[in-house]
Amino acid sequence: MDIGTSMTRVALAPDGVVFNEPTSVAIDTRSGAVVEVGYGALDLVARTSRHVVVFRPLAQGATVDFDVTARLVSGLFERVGLSRLSRARVVMSVPSLATAIERRALRQAAIQAGAREVSLIEAPLAAGIGLGLPVQDPVGSAVAVLGGGASEATLLSLGGIVTSATRRQGGSDIDLAIASLARHRYGVVIAPTVIESLKIALGSAKGATRGLSEVVRCRTVDTGDIIEVDIGADLVNVALHDVVHAAVAMIEDSLSGAPPDLSQDVSARGLTLVGGQARMADLAELVAERTGVTVMVADQPDLVIIKGLQLCLEEMSSLHALFRDADR
Ligand SMILES: Nc1ncnc2c1ncn2[C@@H]1O[C@H](COP(=O)(O)OP(=O)(O)OP(=O)(O)O)[C@@H](O)[C@H]1O
Ligand SMILES: [Mg+2]
């Protein structure tokens, strides 16, 4: 399981990825029962039942509500066909920046939901495994995970993280910045899903506008009327600037801390971007320009971690050493 700030993925060994939906859970507050998870739960936000409340229990890569996360995990088990009685063995990713308390909370949430055994692995390592990089060998592999609420740039070698730089910031922070800039400039409130699609359609890490804009329907702040506003790429690019440049600086940091021989490996083999935000237009190019290193964007960058976790589950015994570090 990869329970992220924005999206949750579940894979079963050996079936593969069976769930890839928003991290959200709808709970009946009278009984505590899980009504829906993922897109189904988000759909319930609009429908007003006083007893059903929709939660997004993660922020900045970590659980902010233990009990809700436990219910989310049990809802996920049910959704993918694992009964409580099956006592599943679970491998989960945590951001390398997660504290001991956050790790324990995640593990306990899975145990409370019925998991028999829970192993945690740090997301960049899971990503390295998912990418098929030689993470256990004495060579350096550079991986940056750019997610919804957390960003981390790491150099992996000999089954561990050699250097890393992390930030509790990601794509969701860009969405917030776009929302606030639109409110400022046009006095409107735009729905979160629309904001995200504007970011994806119009955003460029290098500020290229390509003459793009999109007309969106939204509400005015003062009267609540629905109006149409033409949002230009320049607004999106202004909003994403700080988060993107902080992520690039973070990647530069992690590379500059590398021991010389591993640094040489990175020069020879390049750096791979994973996580949803790795898809952002011009981002790889910007990182390459700023670091002087060859930058690749993984194929399906948001699924690399869950694929790595599936491999971990399948090859638990040979990869055993990797789990000890994350399980602190
Ligand atoms: N084409 C795109 N351009 C820019 N951002 C994108 C694009 N596609 C997805 N994203 C963003 O990527 C983020 C989601 O990435 P990902 O699924 O890796 O995060 P997560 O695992 O939920 O979060 P985290 O691991 O940080 O807790 C969202 O903010 C989403 O808007
Ligand atoms: Mg993630």
Side-chain angles (χ1 to χ4, degrees), residues 5-293:
T5 308
S6 322
M7 299 290 284
T8 289
R9 285 108 192 175
V10 182
L12 295 176
D15 309 16
V17 180
V18 291
F19 185 90
N20 178 17
E21 298 190 25
T23 304
S24 77
V25 55
I27 295 173
D28 186 325
T29 52
R30 288 166 304 184
S31 61
V34 174
V35 182
E36 280 277 7
V37 293
Y39 287 113
L42 282 190
D43 286 346
L44 291 175
V45 175
R47 276 187 252 155
T48 44
S49 157
R50 264 183 297 142
H51 304 295
V52 176
V53 179
V54 180
F55 296 91
R56 306 213 57 161
L58 264 80
Q60 301 182 326
T63 310
V64 289
D65 188 327
F66 170 77
D67 191 52
V68 172
T69 303
R71 282 171 213 270
L72 169 66
V73 176
S74 69
L76 290 167
F77 281 174
E78 193 179 328
R79 178 69 178 274
V80 304
L82 291 174
S83 76
R84 264 195 97 78
L85 298 176
S86 61
R87 312 279 289 138
R89 198 168 69 175
V90 179
V91 179
M92 299 176 111
S93 58
V94 279
S96 61
L97 53 72
T99 64
I101 292 170
E102 288 165 348
R103 289 166 200 237
R104 201 173 319 129
L106 190 63
R107 172 204 300 286
Q108 284 305 322
I111 302 246
Q112 189 162 314
R116 167 166 55 98
E117 190 187 307
V118 182
S119 308
L120 300 182
I121 183 161
E122 284 164 333
L125 259 179
I129 294 166
L131 289 166
L133 296 173
V135 298
Q136 309 233 59
D137 298 349
V139 301
S141 300
V143 175
V145 182
L146 304 174
S151 309
E152 30 199 348
T154 53
L155 189 62
L156 309 170
S157 187
L158 292 169
I161 294 175
V162 181
T163 61
S164 79
T166 62
R167 290 181 68 79
R168 290 193 184 256
Q169 200 176 48
S172 331
D173 299 282
I174 296 177
D175 296 5
L176 291 177
I178 296 172
S180 117
L181 197 55
R183 196 164 50 232
H184 245 86
R185 274 201 198 167
Y186 301 110
V188 294
V189 177
I190 306 177
T193 50
V194 176
I195 294 274
E196 189 183 16
S197 62
L198 286 172
K199 171 181 74 178
I200 292 171
L202 306 178
S204 154
K206 293 179 71 179
T209 59
R210 296 172 295 230
L212 295 175
S213 72
E214 247 177 47
V215 176
V216 298
R217 285 165 65 79
C218 45
R219 275 183 196 281
T220 63
V221 175
D222 45 1
T223 61
D225 293 336
I226 293 186
I227 61 167
E228 289 192 337
V229 175
D230 193 12
I231 302 286
D234 67 304
L235 182 146
V236 173
N237 290 341
V238 168
L240 63 74
H241 181 276
D242 288 0
V243 174
V244 166
H245 282 262
V248 176
M250 173 195 78
I251 294 172
E252 286 180 297
D253 258 16
S254 80
L255 295 180
S256 67
D261 49 335
L262 295 186
S263 210
Q264 255 171 22
D265 293 342
V266 179
S267 302
R269 306 172 55 241
L271 161 99
T272 309
L273 304 181
V274 309
Q277 217 195 298
R279 293 185 195 270
M280 177 180 286
D282 306 326
L283 182 63
E285 203 181 306
L286 177 67
V287 175
E289 282 172 13
R290 292 276 292 273
T291 59
V293 163

